[in-house]
Amino acid sequence: MESTTIKQVTVVGTGVIGNGWISRFLSQGYDVIATDPAENAEKRMRASIDQAWPALEKQGLAKGASKDKLKFEPNLEKAVADADLIQENVPEREELKRKVLAEIDRFAKPDAIIASSTSGLKPSTLQADCSKPGRVIVAHPFNPVYLIPLVELVGGKDTASETIKKAEEFYQSLNMKPLVISTEIEGHVADRLMEAIWREALHLVNDGVATTEEVDAAIIYGPGLRWALMGPFLTLHLAGGEQGMKHMLEQFGPALKLPWTKLVAPELTEELTDRVVEGCEAQTTGHTIAQLEERRDEFLIELMQLLEKYWPGANLNGKI
């Protein structure tokens, strides 16, 4: 179901995330204009959309959804001129993002929403050079954007509440699960959680405790299964028995002081880099990235169907 206020969408930057957004927008029936100054950007973009489309067809396309609704416009000013919402996806460098967002702000019509896909920067920082900062927000997705429903919405100190409200309605129209974060912080919420596990995973590999394959298996066949349904808090709530989290904290709270985790990231030495790269390559021997992505997409579609079945609050058409 399309948003009642947003009809035309522009995507600025056509890397992995930008192309993921384009695929999702198109699959939900929106008209999309894409722009990117990189050489051969349009060719790579259309190949990426073609690769994602079978998974989107399997998941179910909205009425009127078509790849023919995509137009590539190399000129930024022309690309954003008529857009109701502009999704920015340029590389994660503060100076570059601020520059591009200020340009978008200058060229876009006054009531257009400008959303950045940044995974770590604060919206107050990104909107600092814009003349209309009230319409600038963070809308941070997760790869593959065309399937994963979560999008973190964060407003800066100058973001208007109406902008957040309109954005939330729009992303819900994409069958997404917008999580409105009330307090801006570097890395938002989900990335901070993932980063903590990533740091500890690197330590385990660096210290020779486990290989990349063993670390992955520890998540896949253990906590990952439970987290897919309940997340960390409800998972531990059930671990406390009839008294739930109360007993859990009484029983295992003291263990939090034990120095099990490293907290800080290990130095990314050449040796650690080689160990991680070689481990991942060994895990995927005989399979191309495209094959792995196809397998991942099929799994995610079935997993989300299972999640909807067992956790009604996770229905993709509602709020988190």
Side-chain angles (χ1 to χ4, degrees):
M1 181 180 68
E2 287 192 13
S3 166
T4 57
T5 57
I6 295 174
K7 302 295 184 183
Q8 176 67 56
V9 181
T10 291
V11 174
V12 178
T14 58
V16 172
I17 298 301
N19 287 334
W21 275 122
I22 293 169
S23 298
R24 183 175 278 274
F25 293 150
L26 291 172
S27 73
Q28 295 302 314
Y30 283 91
D31 292 303
V32 182
I33 295 177
T35 186
D36 193 314
E39 187 177 355
N40 294 322
E42 181 177 6
K43 181 180 179 180
R44 290 194 301 270
M45 173 195 71
R46 294 195 182 278
S48 178
I49 307 308
D50 287 341
Q51 185 174 337
W53 207 251
L56 289 165
E57 288 178 322
K58 183 175 181 179
Q59 188 181 46
L61 300 173
K63 183 179 180 181
S66 172
K67 290 186 288 185
D68 295 335
K69 290 188 173 183
L70 173 61
K71 175 184 177 183
F72 187 84
E73 171 54 67
N75 182 280
L76 178 65
E77 182 174 2
K78 292 180 180 178
V80 305
D82 298 320
D84 299 309
L85 182 138
I86 300 102
Q87 190 79 42
E88 171 272 313
N89 312 278
V90 301
E92 196 79 354
R93 301 198 299 271
E94 180 183 326
E95 183 179 353
L96 175 62
K97 279 192 177 289
R98 288 177 62 163
K99 176 178 179 292
V100 171
L101 287 167
E103 291 177 351
I104 294 172
D105 179 58
R106 185 164 70 252
F107 298 140
K109 59 185 185 182
D111 60 343
I113 293 175
I114 302 174
S116 174
S117 296
T118 180
S119 60
L121 298 173
K122 290 182 178 181
S124 290
T125 299
L126 297 175
Q127 66 189 193
D129 303 321
C130 297
S131 61
K132 303 178 188 67
R135 40 91 165 266
V136 178
I137 63 167
V138 163
H140 172 232
F142 296 82
N143 188 45
V145 183
Y146 53 88
L147 291 181
I148 298 291
L150 181 65
V151 55
E152 295 177 311
L153 302 184
V154 196
K157 61 183 180 65
D158 295 320
T159 303
S161 58
E162 182 61 23
T163 299
I164 295 290
K165 182 179 178 181
K166 287 176 63 178
E168 184 178 18
E169 178 194 78
F170 168 68
Y171 291 107
Q172 284 176 346
S173 79
L174 301 173
N175 276 338
M176 298 190 81
K177 302 290 289 185
L179 175 61
V180 178
I181 299 173
S182 60
T183 303
E184 59 178 334
I185 187 173
E186 292 89 350
H188 321 312
V189 172
D191 267 12
R192 293 178 73 93
L193 296 170
M194 291 191 297
E195 187 72 16
I197 294 177
W198 174 233
R199 287 195 298 267
E200 192 62 27
L202 288 176
H203 274 295
L204 292 170
V205 173
N206 189 54
D207 296 344
V209 175
T211 64
T212 59
E213 185 174 14
E214 289 166 345
V215 170
D216 283 348
I219 296 296
I220 293 169
Y221 300 112
L225 290 171
R226 299 178 301 185
W227 289 341
L229 177 65
M230 296 186 174
F233 279 110
L234 279 186
T235 292
L236 293 178
H237 182 57
L238 268 63
E242 290 299 322
Q243 290 184 306
M245 184 60 75
K246 182 177 185 298
H247 177 68
M248 176 66 195
L249 292 176
E250 291 172 350
Q251 183 80 3
F252 298 101
L256 293 173
K257 294 183 179 180
L258 296 176
W260 285 0
T261 53
K262 302 283 188 175
L263 298 182
V264 296
E267 181 182 353
L268 197 58
T269 62
E270 185 175 339
E271 181 183 2
L272 175 56
T273 298
D274 289 344
R275 194 174 292 180
V276 170
V277 171
E278 289 169 6
C280 290
E281 289 179 348
Q283 285 178 252
T284 56
T285 298
H287 301 281
T288 66
I289 293 297
Q291 289 172 328
L292 294 171
E293 288 176 338
E294 183 179 357
R295 178 178 177 229
R296 175 203 63 193
D297 290 355
E298 291 179 358
F299 172 79
L300 287 173
I301 290 171
E302 293 184 30
L303 182 61
M304 286 187 289
Q305 293 170 345
L306 194 64
L307 180 61
E308 186 173 354
K309 176 182 177 181
Y310 283 96
W311 189 245
N315 187 290
L316 297 182
N317 295 319
K319 294 183 179 181
I320 287 178

